[in-house]
Amino acid sequence: MPNSVVLLNIQSDRIDAEVQIPLSELQAAFGHAVNDSSTGLVARLGPDLREYLSQHIRPVSLNGQPWAVAVGALKVQETKNPINGTYRELTAQVRLVPPVGQDVRQFVFRYDAVLHQVVTHKILVSVRQDWVRGQVVEESPAQVGVIELDIINNRIPTLPVNLKTGSLWTGFRAMVQLGIRHIAEGTDHLLFLLVLLLPAPLLVTGSKWHGFGGVRYSLRRLLLIVTAFTIGHSFTLLLGTLAWVKLPSQPVEILIAVSILVSAVHAIRPLFPGREAWVAGGFGLVHGLAFADTLTNLHLESGPLLWSLFGFNLGIELMQLSIVALVIPWLILLSQTRIYKATRIVGAMLAGMAALAWVLERVSGQANIITIGVEQLADYAIWLVLGLALLAVTSWWQTHKAYSRTLPG
Amino acid sequence: MRKHFVIYALPAVLLLNVITGCKENEDDSTTTPDFSTSITTVLSNTTSANTTCGSATGLAKVVCLAESFKSTLDATQLSAVQLTYSKANAQRWSNLPEGLYRNRVGLDLASLDETQLAAFRDMMVAVLTLNTSNEGYDEMLGNLVADDYLNTAGGGSTYGAGNYYLAFLGIPSVTGLWELQFGGHHYTFANTYNNGTIAGVTPSFRAIEPMDAVSANNKNYQPMEQERQAFAAMLGALSSAEQTTAKLSSSFNDVLLGPGKDAQFPTTKQGLQVGSLSADKKTLVLNAIQLYTNDLDSETATAFLNKYTSELDNTYIAFAGSTAVTSENDYIRIDGPSVWIEFSYQGGIVIRGTPHPHSVWRDRTSDYGGQ
């Protein structure tokens, strides 16, 4: 039978808990027909449920002082696991606040919702987020313990919680790593930037890309684009995280896909020659809003939030710069050869295809064969860079050799 | 040339990944439904093929049949089925299908050919009672048939007779310590032998889904129905005052002492003392107990039933839910100085919306043969 799950988000002066209780189990304990009719359950029984939960969730400090417990949002949702198949569960947001001066990281968790009546029930307690310990990713909650009947003595034990001490530095470092990972996994962000860099070493004549503009010219333009992108997304990351700007994530994600499409077209035919930096900056604003979503979802308090903002952005820049540094030399070499045009056009077309597929995915909410493929391909990115390097070096060498042979000797 | 290589390699790699990346993750358990159907067909023919163990009796016969079974195996199968005895291995049973548990020891029935299956059958017939409908060997067979049904009724390849495992923990002998362990999703059989005698026949786990009759090989099976009826009769015969005493205030959606809950018998017995009941009501309690003990060969069954009968007055019965034993959260417990039996009706897993029972028989002193 399905278990209850308690996920703790540890803050500096309180714990935000999410409690998940399977309705089939709750019904036997709560005494109302909750599982028989879960539609409108929260509207119908909200106050009773909140009352029930605050009676059965009672953390106390080590000196026995009870914590304040406030039951917030309630929701009923369908969930699934391989052992129990599909079932419905109640999700409750519960705020646990220790008395003034009492440690938030050490307490006795008295929790017997459902279990006080259904003695075969189990409650799995885990920490989902603990900033000062550097645990910020929701993927793998760290189990604190299981609350279940002590069968031998027929009583319900309490769960002692004793979290290791953390530090500001640990939290900050984790945020830098999160930023790095975010870009490493953010195929769409990288693709936008790389495709925008494709024509950067080139001169433009009229409405066509032309030959190589020289190393200094290329570097200047490349750096300008990267810097503009950084300024753009840092700005909205700040605004979005501090909740001064809030856009729903779907249009933002669609705009990001559109930004790749625009830069892909531009790489084939110059749409905005010489104004790439402005475009990078403008679309950077959109990308930053998506970064902000990641931070907002962590629900951090203001202290850690500022450090997180700084660390997360630092991680993003570090990763971005290292990838740009990995690619730029080959672009500069390759742009001096005859095959650059083909490389640029094929690259831009593939990126455009991916962008269209993303637009489709983000409008429909359904992954498609191309977006799945791109995500798979991203795992081999290092081989693509190596291939690019190999191509650049060999063609540059061949071009150079041909050129030196034509010189009068 | 190189230019073309990169231009073509990109879409090719993309395409390759799309093709390989879109496959569903399939369960990798080894059973084929077609074959597990034939498993129960072979096992349902109970005419013995064995010619060498006919004159042996008791434990000597079980050992002889175990050796005969082992002689049909190849080296790989033999090393899978014959393990050293350890408590840790003995505790590796579960009420989960193998695809979710993935921790059973021994050899799966799916990997046996017809000759090997027949030799396995001859051995099981020697340790389980034969020719009693839905009890003993027939109950085990019904359990396999029901699991085959779950396989076809939406449960998929993790269910089915082929996913049941046999292991010898310790070498079968008429002197040493060894356990005959056989089990899968809804069935665990564990006979422990030591110093030439049977030292324990528990933990013994019996459950079924679906509860309704399933049919195979021109026969209907309903392995847990007689147990259910015996419990309902036992509870229904009680006076209302006795029922009040026997009724537990807690609710149960499973048994307490299922897999992994070894040596956790409650210190205090709950419910109604059987010693306070009239003779006919005591008989109804014994009737329920017999449906567990009498699954075994008659000699073993008698030994355990005699022990439980002599301790009957100090045995307690308790229940939760209703006395009819038909709905989810209905629960019965028989808790004696030695015997421990639980029966729990709980929600359906593969067949949604229909309850199914789990049941466990343990012994306070001889679980795992006292090891």
Side-chain angles (χ1 to χ4, degrees):
Chain A
M1 294 297 105
N3 307 309
S4 288
V5 172
V6 178
L7 297 168
L8 306 175
N9 179 355
I10 317 292
Q11 311 278 29
S12 62
D13 59 353
R14 65 165 202 270
I15 293 177
D16 294 329
E18 177 172 303
V19 177
Q20 302 164 352
I21 307 176
L23 291 185
S24 57
E25 307 285 292
L26 183 63
Q27 170 146 332
F30 179 56
H32 300 268
V34 297
N35 194 36
D36 298 343
S37 49
S38 62
T39 26
L41 171 71
V42 177
R44 192 160 46 93
L45 292 170
D48 294 329
L49 282 165
R50 285 197 176 85
E51 175 61 24
Y52 173 81
L53 289 174
S54 45
Q55 274 176 8
H56 292 280
I57 304 175
R58 299 194 323 278
V60 298
S61 286
L62 299 185
N63 64 0
Q65 278 184 289
W67 288 28
V69 175
V71 184
L74 300 175
K75 199 170 71 187
V76 171
Q77 59 188 29
E78 193 145 273
T79 183
K80 192 179 167 108
N81 73 28
I83 294 174
N84 302 294
T86 308
Y87 60 94
R88 291 188 300 272
E89 65 180 12
L90 174 76
T91 309
Q93 307 303 326
V94 185
R95 178 163 289 190
L96 313 169
V97 186
V100 178
Q102 291 298 324
D103 192 355
V104 75
R105 305 181 68 79
Q106 275 200 333
F107 60 98
V108 177
F109 201 25
R110 294 187 176 165
Y111 179 111
D112 67 351
V114 177
L115 183 57
H116 68 97
Q117 177 61 37
V118 184
V119 291
T120 43
H121 193 61
K122 275 196 193 71
I123 297 105
L124 314 182
V125 182
S126 301
V127 171
R128 177 155 65 178
Q129 196 177 308
D130 189 356
W131 195 87
V132 294
R133 296 277 306 153
Q135 192 197 334
V136 286
V137 183
E138 292 196 359
E139 279 159 20
S140 50
Q143 184 154 324
V144 176
V146 178
I147 301 172
E148 59 182 325
L149 181 75
D150 166 0
I151 301 171
I152 296 174
N153 302 303
N154 192 33
R155 59 182 190 86
I156 296 167
T158 57
L159 178 70
V161 178
N162 186 357
L163 303 167
K164 291 204 182 84
T165 327
S167 71
L168 189 73
W169 170 241
T170 314
F172 177 75
R173 213 177 42 198
M175 294 311 297
V176 175
Q177 284 164 346
L178 187 67
I180 289 175
R181 204 165 41 232
H182 201 74
I183 284 294
E185 291 167 3
T187 319
D188 49 355
H189 298 291
L190 281 173
L191 203 56
F192 168 71
L193 194 58
L194 293 176
V195 177
L196 202 54
L197 296 180
L198 264 182
L202 302 178
L203 295 163
V204 72
T205 46
S207 62
K208 279 204 170 130
W209 292 114
H210 202 60
F212 179 59
V215 175
R216 282 190 57 180
Y217 169 87
S218 305
L219 280 178
R220 207 180 129 267
R221 279 163 51 87
L222 290 162
L223 284 176
L224 207 60
I225 291 170
V226 174
T227 311
F229 184 59
T230 298
I231 291 170
H233 72 64
S234 301
F235 183 64
T236 42
L237 171 60
L238 180 75
L239 293 188
T241 309
L242 299 178
W244 294 346
V245 174
K246 183 82 189 100
L247 280 183
S249 67
Q250 196 189 6
V252 170
E253 294 293 326
I254 293 170
L255 267 176
I256 286 172
V258 170
S259 73
I260 301 166
L261 192 61
V262 171
S263 62
V265 173
H266 176 71
I268 296 169
R269 285 217 104 125
L271 295 175
F272 36 84
R275 295 192 302 278
E276 285 92 346
W278 288 104
V279 174
F283 277 127
L285 293 173
V286 179
H287 285 245
L289 286 172
F291 296 151
D293 253 6
T294 308
L295 278 193
T296 321
N297 289 340
L298 298 178
H299 301 293
L300 293 163
E301 316 153 273
S302 51
L305 186 63
L306 290 172
W307 284 109
S308 297
L309 198 60
F310 179 47
F312 187 59
N313 210 11
L314 188 65
I316 288 175
E317 299 325 323
L318 285 174
M319 191 65 197
Q320 201 168 274
L321 280 176
S322 29
I323 289 182
V324 168
L326 266 180
V327 172
I328 278 183
W330 318 124
L331 286 188
I332 288 181
L333 276 187
L334 208 54
S335 60
Q336 301 169 47
T337 70
R338 265 169 306 177
I339 69 155
Y340 192 55
K341 186 178 180 183
T343 315
R344 175 169 56 81
I345 287 173
V346 169
M349 280 186 163
L350 287 172
M353 215 167 70
L356 281 172
W358 269 319
V359 171
L360 194 69
E361 171 182 282
R362 289 162 191 193
V363 169
S364 70
Q366 293 287 322
N368 54 55
I369 203 159
I370 295 179
T371 58
I372 294 169
V374 171
E375 286 309 321
Q376 302 252 331
L377 193 64
D379 296 343
Y380 301 94
I382 190 71
W383 296 105
L384 294 177
V385 174
L386 280 173
L388 182 74
L390 197 67
L391 182 71
V393 171
T394 49
S395 14
W396 185 82
W397 183 68
Q398 277 177 343
T399 312
H400 207 72
K401 206 168 56 173
Y403 178 68
S404 56
R405 239 183 273 141
T406 57
L407 284 176
Chain B
M1 270 323 287
R2 200 169 290 285
K3 170 179 83 183
H4 290 120
F5 167 74
V6 167
I7 290 170
Y8 293 128
L10 265 170
V13 174
L14 185 84
L15 196 67
L16 191 74
N17 274 287
V18 166
I19 291 163
T20 55
C22 286
K23 258 193 228 155
E24 288 286 306
N25 276 339
E26 280 169 28
D27 184 88
D28 59 342
S29 75
T30 53
T31 319
T32 54
D34 300 356
F35 190 70
S36 57
T37 310
S38 64
I39 291 176
T40 60
T41 310
V42 174
L43 296 181
S44 63
N45 169 13
T46 52
T47 314
S48 175
N50 187 284
T51 51
T52 52
C53 305
S55 58
T57 57
L59 177 54
K61 184 167 188 164
V62 177
V63 172
C64 178
L65 289 163
E67 284 169 349
S68 294
F69 168 73
K70 280 163 70 173
S71 70
T72 66
L73 304 176
D74 65 31
T76 316
Q77 290 174 312
L78 196 57
S79 64
V81 81
Q82 183 58 69
L83 303 159
T84 52
Y85 182 89
S86 75
K87 181 78 181 282
N89 276 346
Q91 290 171 310
R92 286 166 72 169
W93 58 279
S94 168
N95 58 29
L96 293 175
E98 183 57 20
L100 294 175
Y101 181 57
R102 299 197 187 285
N103 197 27
R104 288 185 176 87
V105 288
L107 192 57
D108 56 325
L109 294 189
S111 65
L112 302 182
D113 65 24
E114 278 201 35
T115 312
Q116 295 163 338
L117 273 176
F120 162 76
R121 173 205 63 208
D122 291 344
M123 178 182 69
M124 293 310 285
V125 163
V127 291
L128 289 164
T129 189
L130 192 60
N131 302 328
T132 313
S133 189
N134 286 317
E135 295 301 321
Y137 181 83
D138 201 57
E139 184 175 322
M140 179 203 93
L141 192 51
N143 200 289
L144 298 181
V145 168
D147 227 52
D148 278 345
Y149 173 83
L150 291 184
N151 176 306
T152 57
S157 62
T158 180
Y159 296 95
N163 289 310
Y164 282 56
Y165 283 71
L166 170 75
F168 299 115
L169 309 178
I171 293 169
S173 77
V174 292
T175 53
L177 167 68
W178 66 284
E179 183 189 319
L180 196 172
Q181 188 188 55
F182 173 69
H185 172 215
H186 270 163
Y187 191 87
T188 295
F189 174 95
N191 271 16
T192 308
Y193 302 91
N194 200 1
N195 297 326
T197 59
I198 182 109
V201 294
T202 52
S204 171
F205 187 85
R206 313 293 160 84
I208 199 76
E209 187 180 17
M211 187 61 181
D212 289 339
V214 283
S215 60
N217 319 312
N218 307 319
K219 196 171 176 313
N220 281 343
Y221 296 92
Q222 208 169 359
M224 298 291 289
E225 177 60 10
Q226 279 153 193
E227 285 78 355
R228 190 197 68 77
Q229 286 178 6
F231 287 124
M234 177 184 95
L235 294 176
L238 301 177
S239 69
S240 60
E242 286 165 342
Q243 281 184 2
T244 306
T245 311
K247 194 169 170 86
L248 297 163
S249 58
S250 302
S251 312
F252 297 78
N253 55 30
D254 205 342
V255 296
L256 280 181
L257 299 183
K261 300 290 184 193
D262 297 317
Q264 291 196 26
F265 300 97
T267 316
T268 311
K269 292 184 174 16
Q270 293 177 282
L272 173 71
Q273 191 172 353
V274 179
S276 69
L277 298 177
S278 61
D280 55 340
K281 291 176 190 174
K282 285 182 185 177
T283 305
L284 291 174
V285 178
L286 267 186
N287 284 352
I289 294 175
Q290 275 183 44
L291 290 173
Y292 291 80
T293 56
N294 292 4
D295 283 333
L296 299 155
D297 68 277
S298 63
E299 194 187 338
T300 309
T302 306
F304 277 89
L305 189 59
N306 286 350
K307 180 165 75 155
Y308 297 157
T309 307
S310 71
E311 295 171 342
L312 192 63
D313 282 356
N314 292 320
T315 299
Y316 285 68
I317 56 173
F319 78 101
S322 74
T323 54
V325 197
T326 50
S327 352
E328 201 171 320
N329 293 353
D330 283 356
Y331 171 86
I332 294 97
R333 183 191 306 169
I334 299 177
D335 182 6
S338 302
V339 71
W340 171 278
I341 291 172
E342 289 178 281
F343 183 99
S344 151
Y345 245 132
Q346 50 195 272
I349 299 292
V350 179
I351 319 293
R352 310 301 300 175
T354 310
H356 80 290
H358 279 195
S359 178
V360 70
W361 167 24
R362 285 182 180 264
D363 190 294
R364 283 176 176 261
T365 51
S366 68
D367 260 11
Y368 301 107
Q371 293 302 306

